[in-house]
Amino acid sequence: MKKILTLILLIPLTFFGQSNEVSGTITNEAEESIPFANVLIKDTSNGVTSDFDGNYKIRVSKGETLVFSFIGYHTQEITIADTNVIDITLISSKETLDEVVVVGYGTTKRKDLTGAISSVSSEEILEQPALSAMEAIQGRSAGVQIINDGEPGGSPVVRIRGTGTVQSGRDPIYVVDGIITDNLDNINSADIETIDVLKDASSLAIYGSRGANGVIIVTTKKAAVGKLKIQFSSYTGVTDVLKKVDMANAAQWQQYYFEVFGSDEDAFNDEFGGGPYGDYPLDSPNDTDWFDEITTMGSVINHNFSLSGGSEKVRSFVSANFYQEEGILKDNDYNRFTLRAKTDYEITDKLTFGHNISIALTNRDKKPTGAFQSAYRQLAIIPVRDPITNQYGTSGEYATVGNPVEAIETTNSAIKQFTISGSAYAQYNINNYISVRSNFGIQSSYLKSTKFDGERDLFDPNYGQGGAGDAKLTERRSDNTKWTFDLYATLKKTLGTNHNFNLVVGTTTDYRTGSYILGQINHVPEQEQYWSINNGESILRLEGLNSTDIIVRSYLSRLNYDFDHKYLLTLSGRRDGSSQFSDGNKWGNFYAIGAGWVVSEENFMSDVNFIDFLKFRGSWGQLGNQNVPLQILTFTNGLNYTQGPNQDIVYGSTITSILDPNLTWETTEEYDIGVEFELFKSRLSGAVDYYNKLNKDAALATKLPATFGSEESVISNLAQIRNEGYEVGLNWSDKVSKSFRYSIGANISFNENNLESLTSDTDVTQTGGLIPNGGILTKRLEVGQPLGSWYLHTVKGVDPITGLLQYEKADGTITTDVNTLEDEDKRYHGSSQPTKSFGVNLKLNYKDFELVVLGYGVTGGNIYNAKKQQRYNGENIELDVYNNRWTPTNTITSEPKPFTSIQPASTYYLEKSDFFRINNITLSYKLPKVFDNVNLIRVYATAKNPFIFTNYTGYNPELPGVNDENTGRLGKGDPMGTQGMEFQAYPSKKTFIVGLNVNF
Amino acid sequence: MKNIISLILMLSIVISCNDNEYLDIDPSSLTPEDALNIAGAGDKMVVATYDELQKYRTMALPWIVLTTVLADNCEEGGKRLNTDINKINDIENISSSESLLNTLWAGHFFGISKANRAIALIPGITTLEQEEIDVLVGESKFLRALFYFRLVNLYGGVPLIDHIIDPSDTADKLLANTRVSKEEIYDFIIEDLTEAASVLPLKSERPSSELGRATKGAALGLLTKVNMYLASEQNSMVHWQNVMDLTDEIATMGYALNYDTFQYNNGPTVLSSISWLETAENNEESVFEVQARAITERDAIKSYANIQNSRGNYIGEPTQELYDLFESGDLRLLSSITKKGQRNWDASRIGNAKKNDLYNHKAFVSANTDLNTYEVHPESNKNVRILRYADILLMRAEAANELGQSGVALDILNNYIRDRAGLAPLPTSIISKEDIRLAIWKERRIELAFEHDRWFDIGRQGRKGEVMRANGKNFTDGIHDLMPIPLPQIQLSGFVLEQNPGY
């Protein structure tokens, strides 16, 4: 149709003389042809579009200017001289204002937005090789904090504009092609076209009670009309520890403890007793480096294949991916297969239909990360295996540490997950301005986790004393299914000449359910092929549950209005009903308003040449978080007893909790003021935002006196939590010459997190940051402090005379006697949440070479070196602790006199989390075109995380926290949990990769 | 276009009409209403109350430290210094913020709450016969009385909760945070035990499948102890007479001292009942014991044995003074205490490197599979003896002595307690009431060592201060007789809950 039009338009041209025919091919930077690009003669309406292969032909007179343009690319102008062939390479531009941004139930152009949305392109995601796209985009957009987890298959913790709540869900939601999911771990990064991060109320209100933690919209790739494209990419690399902690060797360890117990060997032996474990006397020749014993060189492999193409009627995209990672902890592996098939049909002019199916299969061989902690604490004098008995060496009476090699070798944990997601949509364009779209998606995942614990001595390597036991098999199977159904209508109309309206009205329904079954049995043979429940005897645990279904029904609408793309207004609202809450608390309404003023469109700005685009915008709105614990009073099972001559189990259950009948979702109010600009011929672009987000009724557990008999805390909406901050993102890109281009981007986010107030007359003191074995608490929730604040004794150096740590009491006096310390002497010392995070990216293109450098850093957070505190008897110490320890001749130092026994939680263990890391250095080269059918061959080498700059003394300053599988405690991403505590964290790693891309 | 919009509106209306119904989801776990209609719901609530006795918080470390370690039979001992236990052992440094105090307090009130729930809801279960209801309620009352008896002797008067309370109800809130007098608690305990005794079956009437559940004998046995405490404290002959009457009744129920001994390889000979052997559980001497079998990690008395014995953490080191108190030839010595370098009853030797000199042998659990009734497990199968017939006999002896029937008292001491221990009768010089009383108190101390009796025993005898000071502790009368009310509970009450004097 369009072709016919241009043909008609072209006819008059032939009547003009002096015109000659110019032809050429339009390609992108990857030398792929661009079909349907526009070629226009400047200041006329005459033009053509390129064909399937990017070829165009146009009659044009000498001296006229041709304008080449296509959505998503910088426009180029060429003045016609004598040449008849003009090949054009269009340069893509992510900041191009005509760029389409996905806003949830629709799209809009970036220039018309009133909200704060960061977008990350496919290209940027793929620059950083990683399992999950979220890991890859760390440091890419302001306001999006990503804490990576180094464990193979570990999912990063993502926070948008700070942590908004304590006990409810803190994670953003992910909307992948319209289907809400919990993370991107099972999505092939190469399938992703764009990631749009919705940050402010104006953008998020359309997600209502789902929006408070932010929404990350993922759009997967879609085939374009054109000839078949085949893309193959592959990389492989090796991984090593980025940062190691040096420990004392056997001789240094002995010297240290000689100094604890008096300086002679007898005193030392008296204390440790030699004992029944005295197999390793002090003159043992062992000098084990435990960290080396449990770690190895890791590796990563990724192969990706995709095929896309189609006609105007049917377009299809298919991809397959294999990713494999071997961790630096021995036998700690992960692999993932994914498949995706996506097809769009244009059935008639008005009706389009599409479906999208993806499958992911993951295998994860887990090893106890607690081994890092035991390796840190285990003594060099203990051998991995006793040379005579070949039994695992144990620390005996010297210390309370397991053998980390034993922990790794006897714990076998495998998690297999199968996820299938499918969605289908149909869109009917009723006329030019109204369309109706319906989207239905299902996602189901099945997880099987098998854990085999070999037979153990009395001394358990993971849990210390008391963990002895027979060989034990634990198998857990779970499934989760959800579906989403959307139906919405879009009305797009321009009234008069300049009043542009875009109205969306719709409804969506979301359903989720799940179940699990768990069995644990003793006496299963050691050989892996026998690891089935049937091969064991005496069941230890058998449990299972079908979780209570959750249904959310919502009505949504959004009106975008603009006058001449100059004055912008967005109104949005959503009404949500959730089955999770009690009657009377089920329904909630969420509204937002956003407005913008595109100053650069004003006439008075037409003379200001250096400003290409300038927009001020502001928004206010309410968002919800429905992810609060389910409120149904149930019988607690498992309160069993034994009776009868054989002491058989009898089953008991009763009610052990009290619920707050008024609990409902949390409501967050947020306002945002921002400015967006493009300056100097769009070479400099950027955005600055100020936001202020107040969660008005964060759910928080309150404790009741024990006399009420409620064993669990009662959760009520009580806390007010504010996140306030600035975001600045800047990008400079320039083309110096035809063969040299570069761009530099930087962004920085400032966030202040604060617990504003608590509305409760009962006690809501929340402590956290528990260090087990010793029951030490390091965190406390307090009004006026950020969430997860460290609540510690303050250490004021080491007393030069006694060599003891000097603690500051509440009255300001100094004491070295830990027995005089009271809880009241503790003070707040910030939290692990950084107050600033920043990212930089640099890209240089010279001819066919490209260099990319990405950096990321945070400042303003404090982290707790918890592993250092885990010392009860004669555990090993860091080499620095040893070297700098107080001695009668080394009195001015920060490390106290050698000590044993556990110390109170204090700032002695607190360190700054500040770091700056080069996340990526990639050098790539595009081979000249050697084969006819091959459009691109690109080879590259990447150094991932090659350098880190930090004063932190531990393994890794990036500490998302750990979910404790033994206790079921969810510490990951929990400000009151193990977030920010290096306890059994995975050390940071560096990876060196070589890769290849081939496009046909 | 109009058509389309109205179509969408209609669709929305159709969907929204049944929205509220649509959002009504049946929970997949039992709600209280449904749970009560399921067969066995009554029994389950009572079992859940018994389960409290198996909890760490109620029966393991906190209870061990606040009874055994605190009293004069033991010092703290243990593999490594624990400052919390150290403070409690020293008495003078005990503070209300001590977490063990809070844990213990909470466990007991959770138990009371479970009992209250059973007592309130079981009578409404229509599928149960009245007789079944009576027994289940009787058991719950017995357990409630047991929890309160332990609380009142440790803390003095505590909040008296006799029904399911609601935090949003002002009266209940006040009830939850207000301590009543010790006397009111005692009256309540007596009422509960009397009612329990009137409905509970005899041990002999219980089917064997219910072995271990509370019986009429258990209720009367505990009531005997309650009466003895009141008799001692108030010097009340009425209560001593009650002890006589109650023990008369218990004597008809088939209980007897068990004389079995056990010897293995070159290990010591022990009295099975005194050494709390697994093979001697629920025997004719057993009046009430907490059943334990470590077949699931959740239900065992978490680490009760492991905390105290020489294979575990050996917290609570028997004092030399206690060791020396045993007469020579007393079979109870090696049944109760072992020494560093000596053998346990399973012939295993206690290594010389261990820190304690003396070890609680009653808590010993063998690693030798053949010597245990059930599988060896880090969490022991060992039942915790709450009330043995020996205790009943000693209470009777004391009552008889106080009522001037010294012959009865001496008969029990010489022909039962000492006889079983392999000891000769007491010297005939012991004939005065005072001398016999002291002899009984000594036998109680030895016979019931580490059975969580001592701290309360010296309390009701009115000589806590005297005994503890002789033990080298800086005990202040009027303060340390009672433990401080846990500070966290006072904070949770909004400082309504009152603290004991001196803390």
Coordinates of all heavy atoms in Angstrom, one line a residue, chain A residues 275 400 430 434 465 468 489 546-549 553 555 579 587 633-635 640-647 651-653 706-707 711, chain B residues 1 4 8 15-16 19-20 22-23 25 28 30 32 44 51 54 57 79-80 176 208-209 211 213 291-293 353 374 378 383 489:
Chain A
G275 N 43.4 -34.1 74.0 CA 42.1 -34.8 74.0 C 42.0 -36.0 73.1 O 43.0 -36.4 72.5
T400 N 35.8 -25.1 66.9 CA 34.5 -25.6 66.6 C 34.2 -25.4 65.1 O 33.4 -24.5 64.7 CB 33.4 -24.9 67.4 OG1 33.9 -24.8 68.8 CG2 32.1 -25.6 67.4
I430 N -10.4 -2.0 15.3 CA -11.8 -1.8 14.9 C -11.8 -0.8 13.8 O -12.5 -0.9 12.8 CB -12.6 -1.4 16.1 CG1 -12.7 -2.6 17.0 CG2 -14.0 -1.0 15.7 CD1 -13.1 -2.3 18.4
I434 N -9.3 2.8 17.2 CA -9.7 1.9 18.3 C -9.2 0.5 18.0 O -9.4 0.0 17.0 CB -11.2 1.9 18.6 CG1 -11.7 3.2 18.9 CG2 -11.5 0.9 19.7 CD1 -13.2 3.3 19.2
Q465 N 28.8 -29.3 66.3 CA 28.4 -30.5 67.1 C 27.0 -30.8 67.0 O 26.1 -29.9 66.8 CB 28.7 -30.1 68.6 CG 28.9 -31.3 69.5 CD 30.3 -31.8 69.5 OE1 31.2 -31.0 69.4 NE2 30.5 -33.1 69.5
A468 N 25.6 -35.1 63.8 CA 25.9 -36.4 63.3 C 24.7 -37.1 62.8 O 23.6 -36.8 63.2 CB 26.6 -37.2 64.5
A489 N -8.7 -2.2 25.6 CA -9.0 -1.4 24.4 C -8.2 -0.1 24.4 O -8.0 0.5 25.5 CB -10.5 -1.1 24.3
N546 N -0.7 -28.1 49.3 CA -1.2 -27.4 48.2 C -1.4 -26.0 48.7 O -2.2 -25.8 49.6 CB -2.5 -28.0 47.7 CG -2.3 -29.4 47.2 OD1 -1.3 -29.7 46.5 ND2 -3.2 -30.3 47.6
S547 N -0.7 -25.0 48.1 CA -0.8 -23.7 48.7 C -2.2 -23.1 48.3 O -2.8 -23.5 47.3 CB 0.3 -22.8 48.1 OG 0.1 -22.6 46.8
T548 N -2.6 -22.2 49.1 CA -3.9 -21.5 48.9 C -3.8 -20.7 47.6 O -2.8 -19.9 47.5 CB -4.3 -20.7 50.1 OG1 -4.3 -21.5 51.2 CG2 -5.6 -20.0 49.9
D549 N -4.7 -20.9 46.7 CA -4.7 -20.1 45.4 C -4.8 -18.6 45.7 O -5.4 -18.2 46.7 CB -5.8 -20.5 44.5 CG -5.8 -22.0 44.2 OD1 -4.8 -22.6 44.6 OD2 -6.8 -22.5 43.7
R553 N -8.0 -9.7 40.7 CA -8.8 -9.1 39.6 C -8.6 -7.6 39.6 O -8.7 -7.0 40.6 CB -10.3 -9.5 39.9 CG -11.3 -8.8 39.1 CD -11.2 -9.2 37.6 NE -11.3 -10.6 37.3 CZ -12.5 -11.2 37.2 NH1 -13.6 -10.6 37.3 NH2 -12.6 -12.5 36.9
Y555 N -9.0 -3.7 37.3 CA -9.5 -2.9 36.3 C -8.6 -1.7 36.1 O -8.1 -1.1 37.1 CB -10.9 -2.4 36.6 CG -11.9 -3.5 36.9 CD1 -12.1 -4.0 38.1 CD2 -12.5 -4.1 35.8 CE1 -12.9 -5.1 38.3 CE2 -13.3 -5.2 36.0 CZ -13.5 -5.7 37.2 OH -14.3 -6.8 37.4
S579 N -7.6 -11.9 46.6 CA -8.2 -12.9 47.4 C -7.4 -13.1 48.7 O -7.9 -13.8 49.6 CB -8.3 -14.3 46.7 OG -7.0 -14.7 46.5
W587 N -10.4 -4.9 48.3 CA -10.3 -4.0 47.2 C -9.5 -2.7 47.5 O -9.6 -2.2 48.6 CB -11.7 -3.6 46.7 CG -12.3 -4.8 46.0 CD1 -13.1 -5.7 46.6 CD2 -12.2 -5.2 44.6 NE1 -13.5 -6.7 45.7 CE2 -12.9 -6.4 44.5 CE3 -11.5 -4.7 43.5 CZ2 -13.0 -7.0 43.2 CZ3 -11.6 -5.3 42.3 CH2 -12.3 -6.5 42.2
L633 N -6.0 -17.9 59.2 CA -5.7 -18.6 60.4 C -5.8 -20.1 60.2 O -6.9 -20.6 59.7 CB -6.7 -18.2 61.5 CG -6.3 -18.6 62.9 CD1 -5.0 -18.0 63.4 CD2 -7.4 -18.2 63.9
T634 N -4.8 -20.8 60.4 CA -4.8 -22.2 60.2 C -4.3 -23.0 61.4 O -3.7 -22.4 62.3 CB -4.0 -22.6 59.0 OG1 -2.6 -22.2 59.2 CG2 -4.4 -22.0 57.7
F635 N -4.6 -24.3 61.4 CA -4.1 -25.2 62.4 C -2.6 -25.4 62.1 O -2.3 -25.7 61.0 CB -4.9 -26.5 62.3 CG -5.8 -26.6 63.5 CD1 -6.7 -25.6 63.8 CD2 -5.8 -27.7 64.3 CE1 -7.6 -25.7 64.8 CE2 -6.7 -27.8 65.4 CZ -7.6 -26.8 65.6
N640 N 3.8 -32.9 67.4 CA 3.5 -34.3 67.7 C 4.1 -34.7 69.0 O 5.0 -34.1 69.5 CB 4.1 -35.1 66.5 CG 3.6 -34.7 65.2 OD1 2.5 -34.1 65.1 ND2 4.3 -34.9 64.1
Y641 N 3.7 -35.9 69.4 CA 4.2 -36.5 70.6 C 4.4 -38.0 70.4 O 4.0 -38.5 69.3 CB 3.1 -36.2 71.7 CG 3.7 -36.3 73.2 CD1 4.7 -35.5 73.6 CD2 3.1 -37.3 74.0 CE1 5.2 -35.6 74.9 CE2 3.6 -37.4 75.3 CZ 4.6 -36.6 75.8 OH 5.1 -36.7 77.0
T642 N 5.0 -38.6 71.3 CA 5.1 -40.1 71.1 C 4.4 -40.7 72.3 O 4.4 -40.2 73.4 CB 6.6 -40.5 71.1 OG1 7.2 -39.9 72.2 CG2 7.2 -40.1 69.8
Q643 N 3.8 -41.9 72.1 CA 3.2 -42.6 73.1 C 3.1 -44.1 72.8 O 3.3 -44.5 71.7 CB 1.8 -42.0 73.4 CG 0.8 -42.2 72.3 CD -0.6 -41.5 72.6 OE1 -0.6 -40.4 73.1 NE2 -1.7 -42.2 72.3
G644 N 2.7 -44.9 73.8 CA 2.5 -46.3 73.6 C 3.8 -47.0 73.8 O 4.9 -46.4 74.0
P645 N 3.7 -48.4 73.9 CA 4.9 -49.2 74.3 C 6.1 -49.0 73.3 O 7.2 -49.1 73.6 CB 4.4 -50.6 74.3 CG 3.1 -50.6 73.6 CD 2.5 -49.2 73.7
N646 N 5.8 -48.7 72.0 CA 6.8 -48.5 71.1 C 7.1 -47.0 70.8 O 7.8 -46.6 69.9 CB 6.5 -49.1 69.7 CG 6.3 -50.6 69.9 OD1 7.1 -51.2 70.6 ND2 5.3 -51.2 69.3
Q647 N 6.5 -46.2 71.6 CA 6.7 -44.7 71.5 C 6.5 -44.3 70.0 O 7.3 -43.7 69.4 CB 8.0 -44.3 72.0 CG 8.2 -44.5 73.5 CD 9.3 -43.8 74.2 OE1 10.4 -43.7 73.6 NE2 9.0 -43.2 75.3
Y651 N -0.1 -37.6 66.3 CA 0.0 -36.3 65.6 C -0.8 -35.3 66.3 O -1.9 -35.5 66.8 CB -0.4 -36.4 64.1 CG 0.5 -37.4 63.4 CD1 0.2 -38.7 63.3 CD2 1.7 -36.9 62.9 CE1 1.1 -39.5 62.6 CE2 2.6 -37.7 62.3 CZ 2.3 -39.1 62.2 OH 3.2 -39.9 61.6
G652 N -0.2 -34.1 66.5 CA -0.9 -33.0 67.2 C -1.0 -31.8 66.3 O -0.1 -31.5 65.5
S653 N -2.0 -31.0 66.5 CA -2.1 -29.7 65.9 C -3.0 -28.8 66.6 O -3.9 -29.3 67.3 CB -2.6 -29.9 64.4 OG -3.8 -30.6 64.4
A706 N 4.0 -13.2 75.7 CA 3.9 -14.7 75.5 C 2.5 -15.2 76.1 O 2.0 -16.2 75.6 CB 5.0 -15.4 76.2
T707 N 2.0 -14.4 77.0 CA 0.7 -14.9 77.6 C -0.4 -15.0 76.6 O -1.4 -15.7 76.9 CB 0.3 -13.9 78.8 OG1 0.6 -12.6 78.3 CG2 1.2 -14.1 80.0
E711 N 2.8 -17.9 69.0 CA 4.2 -18.2 68.8 C 4.8 -17.4 67.7 O 6.0 -17.2 67.6 CB 4.4 -19.7 68.5 CG 3.9 -20.5 69.7 CD 4.2 -22.0 69.6 OE1 5.1 -22.3 68.9 OE2 3.5 -22.7 70.2
Chain B
M1 N -18.2 2.3 16.9 CA -17.3 2.6 18.1 C -18.1 2.6 19.4 O -17.7 2.0 20.4 CB -16.8 4.0 17.9 CG -16.4 4.7 19.2 SD -15.0 5.7 19.0 CE -15.0 6.5 20.6
I4 N -18.6 -0.9 20.4 CA -17.4 -1.5 21.0 C -17.3 -1.1 22.4 O -17.1 -2.0 23.3 CB -16.1 -1.1 20.2 CG1 -16.2 -1.5 18.7 CG2 -14.9 -1.7 20.9 CD1 -16.5 -2.9 18.5
I8 N -17.3 -3.6 25.7 CA -16.2 -3.7 26.7 C -16.9 -3.4 28.1 O -16.6 -4.2 29.0 CB -15.1 -2.7 26.4 CG1 -14.4 -3.1 25.2 CG2 -14.1 -2.6 27.6 CD1 -13.4 -2.1 24.7
I15 N -18.0 -9.6 34.3 CA -16.9 -10.1 35.1 C -17.0 -9.6 36.5 O -16.8 -10.3 37.5 CB -15.5 -9.8 34.4 CG1 -15.4 -10.4 33.1 CG2 -14.4 -10.2 35.3 CD1 -14.3 -9.8 32.2
S16 N -17.3 -8.3 36.6 CA -17.3 -7.7 37.9 C -18.4 -8.1 38.8 O -18.3 -8.1 40.0 CB -17.2 -6.2 37.8 OG -18.4 -5.7 37.2
D19 N -17.3 -10.7 41.1 CA -16.0 -10.5 41.6 C -15.7 -10.9 43.0 O -14.8 -11.6 43.3 CB -15.6 -9.0 41.5 CG -14.8 -8.7 40.3 OD1 -14.5 -9.6 39.6 OD2 -14.5 -7.5 40.0
N20 N -16.6 -10.5 43.9 CA -16.3 -10.8 45.3 C -16.4 -12.3 45.6 O -15.6 -12.8 46.3 CB -17.3 -10.0 46.2 CG -16.8 -8.6 46.4 OD1 -15.6 -8.4 46.6 ND2 -17.6 -7.6 46.4
Y22 N -15.8 -14.4 43.4 CA -14.6 -15.0 42.7 C -13.4 -14.9 43.5 O -12.5 -15.7 43.4 CB -14.5 -14.1 41.4 CG -13.5 -14.6 40.4 CD1 -13.8 -15.8 39.7 CD2 -12.4 -13.9 40.1 CE1 -12.9 -16.3 38.7 CE2 -11.5 -14.4 39.1 CZ -11.8 -15.5 38.4 OH -10.9 -16.0 37.5
L23 N -13.3 -13.9 44.3 CA -12.1 -13.7 45.1 C -12.1 -14.4 46.4 O -11.2 -14.4 47.2 CB -11.9 -12.2 45.4 CG -11.5 -11.3 44.2 CD1 -11.4 -9.8 44.6 CD2 -10.3 -11.7 43.5
I25 N -11.4 -17.5 48.2 CA -10.7 -18.7 47.9 C -10.7 -19.5 49.2 O -10.6 -19.0 50.3 CB -9.2 -18.3 47.6 CG1 -9.1 -17.5 46.3 CG2 -8.3 -19.5 47.6 CD1 -9.3 -18.3 45.1
S28 N -6.1 -23.7 51.7 CA -5.7 -25.1 51.5 C -5.2 -25.7 52.8 O -5.0 -26.9 52.9 CB -4.6 -25.3 50.5 OG -3.5 -24.7 50.9
L30 N -6.1 -26.2 57.0 CA -7.4 -26.2 57.8 C -7.6 -25.0 58.5 O -6.7 -24.5 59.3 CB -7.3 -27.4 58.8 CG -7.6 -28.8 58.2 CD1 -7.4 -29.8 59.3 CD2 -9.0 -28.8 57.6
P32 N -9.7 -23.1 61.6 CA -10.1 -23.7 62.9 C -11.5 -24.3 62.8 O -11.7 -25.3 63.4 CB -10.1 -22.5 63.8 CG -9.1 -21.5 63.2 CD -9.2 -21.8 61.7
K44 N -5.8 -34.2 68.9 CA -4.7 -33.5 68.3 C -4.3 -32.2 69.1 O -3.2 -31.9 69.3 CB -5.0 -33.1 66.8 CG -4.8 -34.3 65.9 CD -4.9 -33.9 64.5 CE -4.5 -35.1 63.6 NZ -4.8 -34.9 62.2
D51 N 3.1 -31.8 73.4 CA 4.3 -31.5 72.6 C 5.2 -30.4 73.2 O 6.4 -30.3 73.0 CB 3.9 -31.1 71.2 CG 5.0 -30.7 70.3 OD1 6.0 -31.5 70.1 OD2 5.0 -29.5 69.8
Q54 N 8.1 -31.4 75.0 CA 9.2 -31.8 74.2 C 10.0 -30.7 73.6 O 11.0 -30.9 73.0 CB 8.8 -32.7 73.1 CG 8.2 -34.1 73.5 CD 8.0 -35.0 72.3 OE1 7.7 -34.5 71.2 NE2 8.0 -36.3 72.6
R57 N 12.5 -25.0 74.3 CA 12.3 -23.8 75.1 C 11.7 -24.2 76.5 O 11.8 -23.4 77.4 CB 11.3 -22.9 74.4 CG 10.0 -23.5 74.1 CD 9.2 -22.7 73.0 NE 7.9 -23.3 72.9 CZ 7.2 -23.1 71.8 NH1 7.6 -22.4 70.8 NH2 6.0 -23.7 71.7
K79 N 31.6 -27.4 78.0 CA 32.8 -27.4 77.1 C 33.5 -26.1 77.0 O 34.7 -25.9 76.9 CB 32.2 -27.8 75.7 CG 33.2 -28.6 74.9 CD 32.4 -29.1 73.7 CE 33.2 -30.2 73.1 NZ 32.5 -30.9 72.1
R80 N 32.7 -25.0 77.0 CA 33.3 -23.7 76.9 C 32.4 -22.7 77.7 O 31.3 -23.0 78.0 CB 33.3 -23.3 75.4 CG 32.0 -23.2 74.7 CD 32.2 -22.8 73.3 NE 32.6 -23.9 72.5 CZ 31.8 -24.7 71.8 NH1 30.5 -24.6 71.8 NH2 32.3 -25.7 71.1
A176 N -3.6 -10.4 80.5 CA -2.3 -11.0 80.0 C -1.1 -10.3 80.7 O 0.0 -10.9 80.7 CB -2.3 -10.8 78.5
S208 N -2.6 -49.8 76.4 CA -1.2 -49.6 76.3 C -0.8 -48.6 75.2 O 0.2 -48.0 75.2 CB -0.5 -51.0 76.0 OG -0.6 -51.3 74.7
S209 N -1.7 -48.5 74.2 CA -1.4 -47.5 73.2 C -1.3 -46.1 73.7 O -0.8 -45.2 73.0 CB -2.4 -47.6 72.1 OG -3.7 -47.2 72.6
L211 N 0.1 -45.3 76.6 CA 1.2 -45.3 77.6 C 2.0 -44.0 77.4 O 2.4 -43.6 76.3 CB 2.1 -46.5 77.4 CG 3.2 -46.7 78.4 CD1 2.6 -47.1 79.8 CD2 4.2 -47.7 78.0
R213 N 0.6 -41.0 78.5 CA -0.3 -39.9 78.7 C -0.6 -39.8 80.2 O -0.4 -40.7 81.0 CB -1.6 -40.2 77.9 CG -1.4 -40.4 76.4 CD -1.4 -39.1 75.7 NE -2.6 -38.4 75.6 CZ -3.3 -38.2 74.5 NH1 -2.9 -38.7 73.3 NH2 -4.4 -37.5 74.5
Q291 N 7.6 -38.3 77.2 CA 8.0 -39.3 76.3 C 8.9 -38.7 75.2 O 8.7 -37.6 74.7 CB 6.8 -39.8 75.6 CG 5.7 -40.3 76.6 CD 6.2 -41.5 77.4 OE1 6.7 -42.5 76.8 NE2 6.1 -41.4 78.7
A292 N 10.0 -39.4 74.9 CA 10.9 -38.8 73.9 C 11.3 -40.0 73.0 O 11.8 -41.0 73.4 CB 12.1 -38.2 74.5
R293 N 11.2 -39.7 71.7 CA 11.9 -40.7 70.8 C 12.3 -39.8 69.6 O 11.5 -39.1 69.0 CB 10.9 -41.7 70.4 CG 11.6 -42.8 69.5 CD 10.7 -43.9 69.1 NE 11.3 -44.7 68.1 CZ 10.7 -45.5 67.3 NH1 9.4 -45.6 67.4 NH2 11.3 -46.1 66.4
A353 N 40.7 -35.4 78.5 CA 40.9 -34.1 78.0 C 39.7 -33.2 78.2 O 39.7 -32.0 78.1 CB 41.1 -34.1 76.5
Y374 N 15.8 -47.7 71.0 CA 15.6 -47.2 69.6 C 16.9 -46.8 69.0 O 18.0 -46.9 69.6 CB 14.6 -46.0 69.6 CG 13.3 -46.4 70.3 CD1 12.9 -45.8 71.5 CD2 12.4 -47.3 69.6 CE1 11.7 -46.2 72.1 CE2 11.2 -47.6 70.2 CZ 10.9 -47.1 71.4 OH 9.7 -47.4 72.0
P378 N 21.4 -38.1 67.4 CA 22.0 -37.0 68.2 C 20.9 -36.4 69.2 O 21.3 -36.0 70.3 CB 22.4 -35.9 67.2 CG 21.9 -36.4 65.9 CD 21.6 -37.8 66.0
N383 N 13.5 -40.6 77.8 CA 12.3 -39.9 78.5 C 12.8 -39.0 79.6 O 13.8 -39.4 80.4 CB 11.3 -40.9 79.0 CG 10.5 -41.6 77.9 OD1 10.7 -41.3 76.7 ND2 9.6 -42.4 78.3
Q489 N 9.3 -9.4 78.2 CA 7.9 -9.6 78.5 C 7.4 -8.3 79.1 O 6.2 -7.9 78.8 CB 7.6 -10.8 79.3 CG 8.0 -12.1 78.7 CD 7.3 -12.4 77.4 OE1 6.1 -12.0 77.3 NE2 8.0 -13.1 76.5

